[in-house]
Amino acid sequence: MADTIKIKLPDGSEREVVKGTTALDVANSISPRLAQAALVAKVKPVGSSNGDRLVDLSRPLEQDAEVRILTEKDPESLEVFRHSSAHLLAAAVLELFPETKLGHGPATESGFFYDFYREKPFTPEDLEKIEKKMAELVQQDIPYAQDFLPRKEGLERFQSEGDFMKCHFIEQFTAPDEKISLYRTGKFVDFCRGPHVP
Ligand SMILES: [Zn+2]
C-alpha cells in the first residue's frame, strides 16, 4: 500500500492522502472552483520549527502538514503573483527581443520590474508591443515549470546565452555543490527559487 500523509486544512479538518499528493490535488478535492482560483499554497510541516512557507501548487507534499490554498483574495499571494508577472514580462521580451540579457525581476511594493540589458533602450512603442505579447502568452496558458540543475550545468547554460548577470547571481548566491532551481516560462528561463503561480 502506498505511503500516506495527513493534511490539516484551515477549517481544522484532516484528511489522509497519498504521499506525493500536490496542493493542487488537495484544492481539487475540496472544489474544482478553488483549484481554478488557486495561486499558491502555504505549507507548514507538522513538527517543523521552520514554520510555514509558500510553495508551488504542483510541489508534491512529502510529510504531514497544515496546508492552506491561497487565491487572489489572500494578500500573501500578491508577491507571488507580482513576481510571476515579472517572469511573464521577461518571457514576452525574449519573444520580441531575443538578444536581451537578463538581470533579475523581483516583486516590489507597488508591482514588479525586470532588469534588462540591451544595446538599444526600449521605446514607448516597444512597451506597448511587450504588453500585447504578455497578454498573448497568458492566453497560451504556459506553465511555470521548475527544474533543478547541478550548479555547473546551470552556469554553463546561462554562459552560453551570454547572460552574464544571471551567472553573477548564481555565483554569488549558491554553493558550488548545490543544485540550482530554475523556472521556465516559454523561452524564458530564470535562476529562481520561486514559488510561482501555476
Ligand atoms: Zn524568478
Side-chain angles (χ1 to χ4, degrees):
M1 222 182 92
D3 278 354
T4 59
I5 53 171
K6 275 203 193 90
I7 299 298
K8 193 173 175 190
L9 297 170
D11 65 0
S13 67
E14 276 190 356
R15 44 183 83 187
E16 207 163 302
V17 299
V18 176
K19 194 172 165 180
T21 293
T22 66
L24 187 61
D25 295 331
V26 174
N28 255 312
S29 74
I30 298 168
S31 92
R33 235 172 110 181
L34 176 63
Q36 188 67 37
L39 292 179
V40 67
K42 195 166 193 181
V43 174
K44 184 179 180 195
V46 169
S48 140
S49 53
N50 290 339
D52 46 23
R53 63 189 192 109
L54 297 177
V55 301
D56 285 355
L57 291 165
S58 58
R59 170 79 58 92
L61 300 164
E62 303 290 354
Q63 53 180 313
D64 293 355
E66 290 175 29
V67 176
R68 209 151 70 78
I69 310 292
L70 306 188
T71 69
E72 66 176 20
K73 288 182 189 142
D74 298 285
E76 287 168 283
S77 69
L78 188 57
E79 198 179 324
V80 176
F81 186 81
R82 284 177 172 165
H83 181 56
S84 299
S85 303
H87 276 226
L88 186 64
L89 168 62
V93 164
L94 286 185
E95 288 275 345
L96 296 166
F97 311 98
E99 73 284 4
T100 309
K101 301 306 168 213
L102 304 158
H104 74 150
T108 67
E109 259 175 49
S110 58
F112 61 89
F113 69 84
Y114 212 106
D115 242 348
F116 297 113
Y117 175 81
R118 309 175 67 214
E119 294 287 328
K120 214 174 127 213
F122 292 115
T123 64
E125 292 73 38
D126 290 341
L127 297 186
E128 276 172 31
K129 279 187 216 152
I130 292 167
E131 190 170 1
K132 227 186 235 164
K133 182 58 80 178
M134 286 173 76
E136 245 176 75
L137 292 177
V138 167
Q139 289 306 316
Q140 291 172 25
D141 206 14
I142 303 162
Y144 288 80
Q146 190 181 26
D147 213 0
F148 292 93
L149 271 192
R151 184 182 192 254
K152 192 165 166 281
E153 272 176 48
L155 270 173
E156 280 164 8
R157 195 209 159 271
F158 287 109
Q159 262 155 13
S160 71
E161 298 286 327
D163 269 317
F164 59 94
M165 291 182 281
K166 288 284 172 218
C167 293
H168 170 77
F169 291 137
I170 293 172
E171 278 163 354
Q172 193 169 2
F173 296 114
T174 62
D177 55 349
E178 212 176 301
K179 282 221 166 186
I180 62 168
S181 163
L182 303 178
Y183 274 86
R184 173 186 293 280
T185 310
K187 289 184 179 150
F188 169 63
V189 177
D190 204 6
F191 161 55
C192 175
R193 292 196 169 92
H196 281 287
V197 302

